[in-house]
Amino acid sequence: MEKQLIVDGINETLSEEFELGIDKLTPDAHLFDDLGLDSLDAVDMLVHIEDKTGVKMDVEQFQKVKTLGDVYDLVAEVSSQSKLN
Amino acid sequence: MQKVCITGMGLVSSLGNMPEELFSELDKGSCNFKFFEEWESYNGLETFVAAPAKEFDDSSLPRNVRRSMSRMSTMAYDATKSALKDAALSVGRNSEENDLFKPNHHRTLVIMGSTSGSPIFLEKYFKKMIENGGPKGQLSTSFFKVMNHSVAANVALALGYSGPLISPSSACSTSSQAVIMGAELIKAGLYDVVIAGGADELHYTSVSVFDVVKASSKNYNKEPLKIPGPFDANRDGLVVSEGAGIVVLESESHVKERGGKVYAEFMGGAYFCDGIHMSQPQAEQMSTTIEMALEKSGVSASQVDYVNAHATGTKVGDLQEALAIKKAFPGQDIPVSSLKGHLGHSLAACGSTELIAMVEMMKNKRMIATRNISSVTDEFSGINILKENVNAEIEYAVSNNFAFGGMNTSFVIKNLM
C-alpha cells in the first residue's frame, strides 16, 4: 500500500473514531500529549487501523510508537513486509 | 436514628427532563407512546409500541468519558447532574462550582443501577463475537458499556466522583431498591448524602422480554395513544419506555447544617422477595411488603393519602397489586393511580421517576389519575382507582414497585413543602 494511502486512511479513521480535527493530525503530533489519547484509545486504534487498512500490527511493536508519524511508518513497514512474505 | 430528606431530583423521561415539566405533562394527560414500524421485521415480535425519552443534552461530556457510555449511562449522568444541581451539591473531585456545597465524599454514597449493562451494546457486542468467531474486532471500550455496573461506574467517571458506589440490579425494582437501601444507610448513620436511582434504555430486546411472557400491549400497535391504561377493564399489557430517575437523599442534620431545601421526608421502605414464582405477582407478598414499609416508616395505613401503584397494565399484575393494596389499607377506599399509562414502563428507572412524580403531586396538591381509564371491573372494588386528576393535599404517600423474580418493594414519603 502506498504511504500516502496509509496516511490518509489512518487520518480518516482517527478523525472519525476519536473526534480529532484533521488539522491536528500531523506526523509530529504526540499521541498522548498532543492528541489527548490514552492506553485504551491506543488499543482501539489498533483495531480501527486493522479494519481500515487490513494491516495487522504486533501489539508490542505498536506500544513503542509515540507520534502519529511513528504510526504511519509502522503501518507502512508492516504492510510492505507482508507483501514480501 | 437520622431522618432522611429528599433534597434533589433529576430525570430523563418520555414526558420531560425536569420535574416541573413532568408534572405539567402528567397533569395534561400526555403520553409519548410511538409505533415503531421497523420492529415489524423482528421474527416473533408482536409488540411494536414504546415510549422513547425526550431529547437530552450530553454534549458537555468529553469523548474520553463518552466512549464507555451507553445511552442509559448518558441518561443517568444527565439526571444525576440535574439532581445534584437541584440539591445545590457538587461531588466532583475537581469541581469549581463554588456556589454548590461539597459534601464529605467519604460520607457520600452513589447507588444506582439498571436491568442489564446495555441492551443496545450487548446486541452489538455478541453479534460481533459470533460473526467473528471470537473477540477479533472488539474495542476495549465495548465491555465497559455492557458490564452490569456500567451506569454507576460511568456516572462516577463523568462526575469525577471518588467515593463509595454500589450498583444494584433488580430489573423494574432497581431504583426503588436503590432509594430504600440508600435511605437505610443514612438512617444507620453511615452516610450524610446518597445519590440514588436507576436508568434503562429502549431496545427491542427489552420489549421482547415482555412480549414473550404475554405481558406487553399488542392490540393497539397502530394506535398507541389508545392503549387502555393500567387497571382499565380492557387493558392488554404494558408499554416499555426508557429514562433515568435520580434523587438526592440527605440526613436531616446534614441538610439543616448546610441550609439546603427539603421536598419530603423519606420515611422508610421495604423490599421483600416472594420466592414463589418468577413472573406471577403474589398479592399476599405484595401486601406484606406494603405493611412492612408502613411499619418501618412508623406510619399507619390510615395516615396515607395516596398510593402510587406499580400497575403496568397487565391483566394479572394490576389485579394482584389492587388486592394487595386493598388488604394493606382495609376499608379506606384509598386513592390509587399508576403513571405507566402516561410514561410507559421505564424498568430500572420507574421507581425513582415515580418518586419524583409523587413529590411533584405533593408540591402541586394534585393527584394524577391513571391515563386512559374508562371502566374498572368489580374485582377492583375497595380501592379508589382515580379516573380523573384531583386537587388534594397529600401528606403521606406510598409507592409500590415490583419486578420479575418476585422482587417486591414499597416505600413511604411525607410532604415537607
Side-chain angles (χ1 to χ4, degrees), chain A residues 1 6 46 49-50 53-57 74-75 78-79 82:
Chain A
M1 195 185 296
I6 289 171
L46 266 176
I49 290 175
E50 189 181 338
T53 63
V55 176
K56 186 169 174 56
M57 284 171 293
L74 179 63
V75 175
V78 176
S79 173
S82 53

Side-chain angles (χ1 to χ4, degrees), chain A:
Chain A
M1 195 185 296
E2 278 182 34
K3 182 78 178 276
Q4 193 54 47
L5 280 176
I6 289 171
V7 170
D8 291 346
I10 290 172
N11 285 357
E12 192 182 324
T13 300
L14 294 186
S15 173
E16 281 172 10
E17 303 295 340
F18 300 101
E19 302 173 16
L20 294 166
I22 288 287
D23 57 318
K24 286 187 172 177
L25 302 177
T26 55
D28 59 346
H30 192 281
L31 297 181
F32 292 3
D33 298 341
D34 297 325
L35 301 181
L37 304 178
D38 64 10
S39 57
L40 276 182
D41 292 325
V43 174
D44 288 354
M45 195 191 300
L46 266 176
V47 176
H48 291 308
I49 290 175
E50 189 181 338
D51 277 353
K52 187 78 177 180
T53 63
V55 176
K56 186 169 174 56
M57 284 171 293
D58 181 72
V59 175
E60 281 182 18
Q61 274 183 307
F62 195 75
Q63 281 172 338
K64 291 176 189 158
V65 304
K66 304 283 183 212
T67 66
L68 198 47
D70 295 340
V71 177
Y72 302 147
D73 292 343
L74 179 63
V75 175
E77 186 189 328
V78 176
S79 173
S80 65
Q81 280 174 358
S82 53
K83 264 187 218 163
L84 290 174
N85 294 337

Side-chain angles (χ1 to χ4, degrees), chain B residues 106-127:
Chain B
H106 292 274
R107 291 190 52 81
T108 299
L109 171 70
V110 172
I111 177 167
M112 58 181 70
S114 53
T115 299
S116 65
S118 158
I120 294 172
F121 284 99
L122 276 166
E123 185 187 36
K124 290 181 179 175
Y125 186 81
F126 287 109
K127 191 171 178 222

Side-chain angles (χ1 to χ4, degrees), chain B residues 83-100:
Chain B
L84 286 166
K85 189 177 173 194
D86 186 37
L89 291 174
S90 172
V91 298
R93 269 186 316 275
N94 305 315
S95 168
E96 290 173 1
E97 298 161 301
N98 293 325
D99 52 330
L100 301 179

